[in-house]
Amino acid sequence: METKLVKTLREAIELAGLESGMSVSFHHHLRNGDYTLNMVMDQIAEMGIRNLTLNASSLFDTHLPLEKHIRNHVVSKINTNYMSAGLGRLISEGLMEEPVDFRTHGGRPRDIALGITPIDVAFIAAPASDCAGNCSGKFGPSACGSLGYAFPDAMYAKKVIVITDHLVEYPLSGWSIPEIYVDYVVEVDAIGNPAGIVSGTTKITRDPVGLIMAETAVKVIAHSGLLKDGFSFQTGAGGASLAAARFLMDVMLRDNIKGSFASGGITGYLVDMLNAGCFRSLMDVQCFDLKAVESIRTNPNHHEISAMHYASPAAASAVVDKLDVVILGATEVDTQFNVNVHTDSSGYIMGGSGGHSDTAAGAKLAMIIAPLFRARLPIVTDRVSCISTPGKDIDVLVTQRGVAVNPKNQELLLRLKDAGLPVTEMETLKHTAEKITGTPKKAVANGRAVANVIWRDGTQIDTIRSIG
Amino acid sequence: MSKIIKPAVCGTLESSDAFVTLEPGGEGLDIQIESVVMKQFGDEILAVTKDVLREFGVDNARVSVVDRGALECVLRARLECAVLRAKGEC
């Protein structure tokens, strides 16, 4: 048996048979601390390979060197689920000829599995691996916890290259991606900077506005009829959402409610809830902080799940479909409850759906938590600059000045009114904000298409245009 | 009303604030505005700036407003304070 362990990245890329016009993929668990994408793309560029499709589960500003690879036609197409503001601005200004295709965390594995976005060579940044490619994110100096988003890449790519900075003796105990999918293993000095792997946003807010919203959010959950034994929950890593999780923990402990699971990107706050008995399990597709990494390594009730298991509409079933409540953010919400998380109010790309649309579609109660305005920009508009998640999937918007319930959910509306919550109309929230900020002139991005927003089932739901 | 006699600043570059700089100038008003919400509120920011300068009788000055999304009341307060400082009145 030949060894899979090759000496250099270049050799692995050559052995994998990468050629111009093919597709390469990356996962984003190392977040803004990732070294591998730049390392690989620099190597590919040096080898003279051009016109690649780059399929990355998310892109961060640490990946800004991609600009030169795009200008030099090494990369001619990008498929991703999220793009942070630095790279997003370049795309919005028309850096690429081909529009970027934005998918969701569930839509990406769906389209990989269905062969809609085939991958020729997948690169898996593995914090620990053995020489055969049994690998895991739980161990090693760059430990990131779950490798959930890398599973479709490993399972469906024609060739799979594992890149690790922590090569251990065969077999790696506690692998998550097994060797059966892996073609080559390369050892490098470092796959990432641990300081950048942990998000800077995973701290509870101290902003009084955020705390009021979090309190209101928990009252909405408490009176929704869903908070009872078996309760399941997901929240993002924004400051107000984390505060809501902490307040929810107090309520669950006080009322002795035994939930079933919390899912998604996992933070230390959800780990605390698991350990306190609020949930039986965590279903973890990505760890946001070191406490989550430690927990997934040591607690058997903290499960790693693949992107398919998390959210794929092509899977026989997925975790998001079992969710009771999800708390989500927004840069804009419109009077039809459509939510924008792709662009800022000036139309520049600064994010992406991630699991937003997937969880909103699956959860019984999809809640948006957002302040009435940020700086001078109202959050509620007549029409969002970009539809990331359609309004039909959103149940309620929580702000510091009241709660707007989607008319499609009459039961929730009645429950919240009966409970004496500050229920109001979307229009009222819009006017309240504009009385304070003034009425903004709508910034219209009306240039050529720079990105397509593809919903989880493959339908295109919006187009992002360049800033003209 | 007293004249602008010295350069003065007021405000910060924090989000939701504005940083205002005033300097004695030659003929008329030379107003520079930079804002993160230029597209949405550029006209309003210029109007408020002119309004405060007129109210305080400032006819000749170089004025720079670097706006980080300040509400109008905040912007107005920063402008008024910068003017009073530039006049040596506070």
Side-chain angles (χ1 to χ4, degrees):
Chain A
M1 162 77 205
E2 273 181 55
T3 176
K4 292 176 175 177
L5 195 59
V6 294
K7 288 207 170 56
T8 63
L9 194 52
R10 184 183 183 111
E11 196 183 338
I13 295 167
E14 282 169 355
L15 286 167
L18 185 70
E19 291 173 12
S20 293
M22 286 185 169
S23 168
V24 293
S25 83
F26 298 87
H27 63 103
H28 71 278
H29 298 90
L30 301 178
R31 302 167 59 86
N32 208 35
D34 175 52
Y35 292 162
T36 56
L37 189 147
N38 291 337
M39 192 190 299
V40 169
M41 294 314 298
D42 285 350
Q43 181 60 61
I44 287 173
E46 196 186 304
M47 293 164 73
I49 297 168
R50 295 288 180 273
N51 289 320
L52 293 178
T53 295
L54 169 66
N55 188 333
S57 50
S58 292
L59 292 167
F60 293 87
D61 284 347
T62 193
H63 301 130
L64 272 169
L66 270 177
E67 181 184 358
K68 69 172 182 287
H69 298 312
I70 293 166
R71 291 196 193 283
N72 295 335
H73 305 284
V74 177
V75 174
S76 53
K77 172 82 186 176
I78 290 179
N79 295 313
T80 191
N81 308 339
Y82 176 96
M83 181 182 286
S84 52
L87 209 48
R89 176 162 280 260
L90 294 173
I91 298 298
S92 287
E93 286 168 354
L95 175 65
M96 297 193 80
E97 284 164 35
E98 277 272 315
V100 169
D101 281 347
F102 278 107
R103 287 184 176 73
T104 71
H105 282 337
R108 178 179 186 268
R110 170 195 181 272
D111 285 0
I112 292 172
L114 297 181
I116 294 166
T117 51
I119 298 167
D120 291 298
V121 183
F123 295 88
I124 296 182
S129 176
D130 63 31
C131 62
N134 292 300
C135 62
S136 167
K138 297 172 188 171
F139 320 103
S142 306
C144 60
S146 178
L147 289 182
Y149 298 122
F151 277 78
D153 308 48
M155 291 170 68
Y156 295 102
K158 293 195 186 77
K159 295 288 177 184
V160 175
I161 298 173
V162 163
I163 304 171
T164 189
D165 55 7
H166 187 61
L167 193 65
V168 301
E169 277 194 36
Y170 184 92
L172 168 66
S173 190
W175 70 83
S176 54
I177 293 174
E179 61 185 299
I180 56 173
Y181 301 118
V182 178
D183 297 283
Y184 306 104
V185 178
V186 186
E187 190 181 19
V188 297
D189 290 339
I191 58 168
N193 171 10
I197 297 170
V198 180
S199 169
T201 55
T202 58
K203 287 222 164 58
I204 282 186
T205 185
R206 289 164 54 208
D207 170 20
V209 170
L211 292 173
I212 290 172
M213 294 191 300
E215 267 176 28
T216 310
V218 170
K219 283 182 192 156
V220 169
I221 295 170
H223 293 288
S224 67
L226 298 166
L227 189 58
K228 54 194 179 196
D229 285 350
F231 175 71
S232 58
F233 178 63
Q234 178 163 337
T235 183
S241 306
L242 292 177
R246 180 48 54 97
F247 296 158
L248 180 65
M249 175 171 156
D250 295 341
V251 172
M252 290 180 78
L253 291 177
R254 186 192 68 203
D255 297 346
N256 195 28
I257 294 162
K258 303 284 181 207
S260 53
F261 72 88
S263 59
I266 299 295
T267 61
Y269 299 98
L270 292 173
V271 171
D272 289 344
M273 292 178 84
L274 174 72
N275 292 337
C278 297
F279 299 110
R280 279 188 284 113
S281 301
L282 296 181
M283 307 291 262
D284 186 341
V285 74
Q286 179 187 16
C287 295
F288 279 137
D289 57 29
L290 292 175
K291 197 166 186 176
V293 175
E294 173 64 23
S295 169
I296 199 172
R297 181 164 48 221
T298 55
N299 188 338
N301 295 321
H302 185 155
H303 306 284
E304 179 175 30
I305 55 170
S306 70
M308 297 82 98
H309 192 174
Y310 173 46
S312 174
S317 71
V319 170
V320 293
D321 297 318
K322 291 283 192 297
L323 270 174
D324 286 325
V325 175
V326 63
I327 300 181
L328 297 164
T331 60
E332 293 175 316
V333 186
D334 68 26
T335 45
Q336 303 302 304
F337 289 81
N338 295 309
V339 178
N340 176 15
V341 288
H342 277 90
T343 62
D344 65 20
S345 304
S346 299
Y348 286 101
I349 296 166
M350 39 81 23
S353 185
H356 200 286
S357 310
D358 301 306
T359 51
K364 293 194 184 77
L365 171 61
M367 175 194 294
I368 303 295
I369 178 164
L372 221 45
F373 50 87
R374 289 195 183 92
R376 198 177 175 173
L377 295 170
I379 298 302
V380 182
T381 68
D382 288 326
R383 166 64 158 85
V384 288
S385 314
C386 169
I387 297 179
S388 307
T389 295
K392 72 174 176 64
D393 287 339
I394 301 298
D395 295 284
V396 61
L397 167 67
V398 172
T399 75
Q400 74 271 40
R401 293 288 190 98
V403 173
V405 181
N406 192 329
K408 70 158 188 145
N409 196 335
Q410 284 295 315
E411 188 198 331
L412 183 67
L413 181 65
L414 290 177
R415 281 175 175 276
L416 298 188
K417 275 186 174 165
D418 284 350
L421 267 80
V423 176
T424 180
E425 301 287 327
M426 211 55 134
E427 288 288 346
T428 312
L429 290 175
K430 179 171 174 282
H431 289 136
T432 308
E434 288 182 1
K435 258 197 281 181
I436 300 168
T437 62
T439 305
K441 281 190 196 66
K442 188 83 186 162
V444 185
N446 54 4
R448 66 182 177 85
V450 292
N452 301 314
V453 180
I454 300 169
W455 199 59
R456 61 198 304 259
D457 70 348
T459 357
Q460 183 174 341
I461 57 169
D462 213 339
T463 303
I464 300 173
R465 300 195 169 274
S466 62
I467 310 290
Chain B
M1 268 193 233
S2 55
K3 280 190 180 325
I4 298 274
I5 53 170
K6 60 178 183 185
V9 299
C10 186
T12 73
L13 292 172
E14 296 293 314
S15 175
S16 308
D17 202 348
F19 186 74
V20 176
T21 310
L22 241 75
E23 288 174 51
E27 290 294 298
L29 293 171
D30 173 9
I31 301 173
Q32 301 287 334
I33 291 179
E34 185 192 316
S35 173
V36 291
V37 292
M38 201 64 179
K39 283 180 185 163
Q40 292 88 351
F41 291 108
D43 296 344
E44 283 87 345
I45 293 167
L46 180 61
V48 167
T49 304
K50 285 181 173 168
D51 198 39
V52 172
L53 294 172
R54 187 171 54 242
E55 201 179 312
F56 285 80
V58 179
D59 300 322
N60 303 304
R62 278 195 296 276
V63 184
S64 147
V65 177
V66 182
D67 172 61
R68 292 284 187 259
L71 295 177
E72 188 180 313
C73 53
V74 174
L75 182 59
R76 201 172 267 281
R78 294 309 194 192
L79 282 160
E80 288 181 9
C81 180
V83 170
L84 293 175
R85 283 174 178 167
K87 289 182 171 190
E89 290 176 12
C90 78

